[in-house]
């Protein structure tokens, strides 16, 4: 297998993760991908990882296109590209109305156009061009990077449905997705095509206690699948009916019932759980169905290994 990624930072203080991140290449990990919700920002962990593990390919999965201005996005991408020459990938996406509007007070308007315009701007800016252009969703008046990267980074897009997947295929270098089963990869590929890189964050719970793993999984699924963009994604994937009772209970404010009515088969589809060997085998199912880059997100449990031990046990070279 050519690529095997890990989500960073892991649980716990980022400052204490130097040793485990430095060990990743020796364990067979090729990539480290950050995220940006309500924990660490997307770029700081990657800046540290660029120095702690200089063999890794690095990328944010993803940075919202709304919460930073276009010029600042270009500056941060150029900084990481300079710290990790040829090893940085810029991952951008709409994020969600919760993060953009409710948490940051920014209107979540015209998401498709905003992503498209941001890709087009970043292509020019990261190539060192002076950008003076009126886009549909913003205008840039004479911005030029002081230190454009010698190697402009690839740009990949968060894409959950056909329109954004086709945009990723047409104007970017690949797509990032998450919350899918191995069989769903083929559905995604049907819109993205066979050639672009497809990256997916996989939530992995290395525990033989299926009841505990499913209980954790239900909380995670309810938190995500009730967000409109993910609800629509899973309707497209064919899980609308299976998740309808959860959505109805959640909308009615009955959180307890919402968790109870999520079918086991949906949890087992979307959360990788079992022994570390079972989890590694399941991850390879995604790759066999067309995923280019699996990115493991370790989900800690009381019954399973510690997070550092889980990182080792889930490595492609383990077992």
């Amino acid at each position: 297998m050519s690529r095997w990624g890990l989500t960073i930072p892991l649980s716990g203080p980022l400052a204490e993760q130097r040793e485990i991140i430095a060990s990743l290449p020796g364990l067979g990990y090729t990539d480290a991908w950050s995220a940006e919700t309500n924990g660490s920002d997307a770029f700081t962990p990657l800046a540290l990882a660029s120095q702690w593990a200089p063999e890794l390919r690095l990328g944010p999965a993803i940075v919202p296109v709304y919460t930073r201005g276009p010029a600042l996005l270009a500056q941060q991408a150029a900084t990481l590209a300079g710290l990790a020459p040829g090893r940085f990938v810029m991952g951008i996406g709409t994020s969600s109305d919760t993060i953009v509007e409710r948490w940051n007070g920014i209107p979540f308007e015209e998401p498709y156009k905003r992503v498209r315009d941001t890709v087009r701007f970043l292509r020019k800016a990261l190539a060192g061009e002076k950008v003076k252009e009126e886009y549909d969703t913003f205008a840039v008046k004479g911005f030029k990077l002081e230190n454009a990267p010698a190697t402009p980074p690839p740009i990949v897009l968060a894409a959950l449905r056909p329109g954004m997947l086709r945009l990723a295929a047409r104007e970017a270098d690949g797509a990032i997705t998450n919350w899918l089963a191995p069989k769903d990869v083929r559905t995604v590929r049907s819109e993205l095509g066979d050639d672009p890189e497809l990256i997916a964050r996989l939530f992995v719970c290395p525990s033989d206690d299926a009841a505990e793993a499913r209980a954790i999984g239900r909380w995670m699924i309810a938190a995500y699948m009730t967000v409109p963009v993910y609800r629509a994604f899973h309707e497209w994937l064919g899980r609308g009916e299976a998740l309808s009772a959860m959505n109805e209970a959640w909308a009615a404010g009955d959180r307890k019932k919402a968790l109870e009515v999520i079918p086991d088969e949906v949890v087992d589809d979307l959360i990788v759980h079992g022994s570390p060997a079972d989890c590694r085998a399941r991850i390879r199912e995604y790759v066999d169905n067309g995923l280019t880059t699996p990115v493991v997100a370790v989900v800690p449990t009381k019954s399973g290994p510690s997070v550092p031990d889980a990182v080792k046990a889930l490595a492609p070279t383990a077992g």
Side-chain angles (χ1 to χ4, degrees), residues 133-167:
E133 193 156 344
E134 294 272 347
Y135 298 95
D136 285 350
T137 57
F138 58 83
V140 177
K141 301 176 181 180
F143 173 77
K144 188 176 188 297
L145 280 169
E146 182 178 344
N147 294 301
T151 304
I155 300 171
V156 293
L157 305 185
L160 297 179
R161 286 186 290 160
M164 204 68 81
L165 287 164
R166 289 195 291 266
L167 176 65

Side-chain angles (χ1 to χ4, degrees), residues 241-259:
E241 185 175 347
L243 291 170
S244 61
M246 177 202 72
N247 281 305
E248 289 169 9
W250 191 270
D254 191 341
R255 301 294 191 257
K256 183 171 184 253
K257 183 179 178 182
L259 296 174

Side-chain angles (χ1 to χ4, degrees), residues 270-311:
L270 303 179
I271 301 289
V272 178
H273 65 92
S275 70
D278 290 340
C279 291
R280 293 194 306 273
R282 180 72 165 173
I283 293 167
R284 290 188 172 94
E285 285 184 40
Y286 285 87
V287 176
D288 291 342
N289 279 279
L291 182 63
T292 316
T293 307
V295 179
V296 173
V298 177
V299 179
T301 65
K302 292 179 181 177
S303 62
S306 67
V307 170
D309 286 345
V311 169

Side-chain angles (χ1 to χ4, degrees), residues 160-235:
L160 297 179
R161 286 186 290 160
M164 204 68 81
L165 287 164
R166 289 195 291 266
L167 176 65
R170 189 169 61 249
E171 299 204 27
D173 299 294
I176 302 169
T177 190
N178 67 357
W179 284 112
L180 76 173
K183 63 186 178 184
D184 299 327
V185 175
R186 295 183 182 183
T187 305
V188 172
R189 277 286 181 201
S190 71
E191 299 294 340
L192 181 66
D194 294 333
D195 294 331
E197 180 174 9
L198 179 59
I199 302 149
R201 176 168 283 116
L202 308 179
F203 298 97
V204 183
C205 193
S207 170
D208 288 319
D209 187 337
E212 182 188 20
R214 286 174 179 148
I216 295 169
R218 281 186 168 85
W219 275 108
M220 296 174 66
I221 287 167
Y224 272 87
M225 301 311 151
T226 52
V227 174
V229 292
Y230 282 102
R231 180 173 179 170
F233 179 44
H234 281 272
E235 287 172 353

Side-chain angles (χ1 to χ4, degrees), residues 4-74:
W4 193 281
L6 183 72
T7 298
I8 64 168
L10 301 161
S11 58
L14 174 59
E16 297 175 7
Q17 296 178 28
R18 178 172 187 158
E19 184 177 348
I20 187 66
I21 291 174
S23 74
L24 296 180
L27 295 170
Y29 290 95
T30 61
D31 292 46
W33 291 82
S34 61
E36 191 169 276
T37 49
N38 61 345
S40 297
D41 74 280
F43 290 106
T44 303
L46 301 180
L48 291 169
S50 73
Q51 306 306 298
W52 292 348
E55 305 94 331
L56 292 174
R57 188 176 71 153
L58 307 169
I62 51 82
V63 176
V65 294
Y66 293 95
T67 52
R68 294 171 180 81
L72 182 56
L73 276 177

Side-chain angles (χ1 to χ4, degrees), residues 88-112:
F88 176 68
V89 180
M90 182 61 168
I92 60 171
T94 62
S95 187
S96 69
D97 56 340
T98 297
I99 291 173
V100 175
E101 274 190 346
R102 291 175 57 191
W103 296 356
N104 285 286
I106 299 167
F108 189 71
E109 297 173 349
E110 298 191 286
Y112 176 89

